[in-house]
Amino acid sequence: MTITAERVLQGDPLKIADRCDQCGAQAFVRVLFSQNRDLLFCGHHYQRHEPVLMTRYPYVSVVDERHKINQKPSVSANAD
Ligand SMILES: [Zn+2]
């Protein structure tokens, strides 16, 4: 079975190992500029950059998985 790079990039859900390009936190949004060029953002940084990104690059594809933030209990979720 052959999987093209494009399919992998677009179909791959974000993994815990995917990190925000700005701060290194877990990434929840992937912005695809082209087949081999993307940016990863945490929820915080995507929210901050979204207006500029969507204005300058309205054609990009966005994989937005922010609904997964805090979906699964984590060690830090036990804080409260
Ligand atoms: Zn970030």
Side-chain angles (χ1 to χ4, degrees), residues 20 22-23 25 42 45:
C20 173
Q22 299 267 301
C23 69
C42 65
H45 278 114

Side-chain angles (χ1 to χ4, degrees), residues 26-40:
Q26 185 177 349
F28 285 96
V29 182
R30 171 178 281 145
V31 179
L32 299 161
F33 291 94
S34 67
Q35 192 170 321
N36 295 311
R37 198 165 155 245
D38 64 356
L39 285 174
L40 298 173

Side-chain angles (χ1 to χ4, degrees), residues 4-57:
T4 64
E6 187 177 4
R7 276 187 72 169
V8 170
L9 202 60
Q10 298 201 342
D12 236 8
L14 288 161
K15 298 182 287 287
I16 289 174
D18 288 324
R19 294 287 147 183
C20 173
D21 290 321
Q22 299 267 301
C23 69
Q26 185 177 349
F28 285 96
V29 182
R30 171 178 281 145
V31 179
L32 299 161
F33 291 94
S34 67
Q35 192 170 321
N36 295 311
R37 198 165 155 245
D38 64 356
L39 285 174
L40 298 173
F41 292 100
C42 65
H44 168 82
H45 278 114
Y46 183 68
Q47 194 165 1
R48 185 196 280 186
H49 294 290
E50 183 181 21
V52 174
L53 282 168
M54 292 306 114
T55 301
R56 287 195 192 167
Y57 308 103

Side-chain angles (χ1 to χ4, degrees), residues 50-68:
E50 183 181 21
V52 174
L53 282 168
M54 292 306 114
T55 301
R56 287 195 192 167
Y57 308 103
Y59 53 85
V60 295
S61 304
V62 176
V63 178
D64 189 342
E65 297 189 359
R66 282 179 292 174
H67 59 280
K68 291 186 178 175

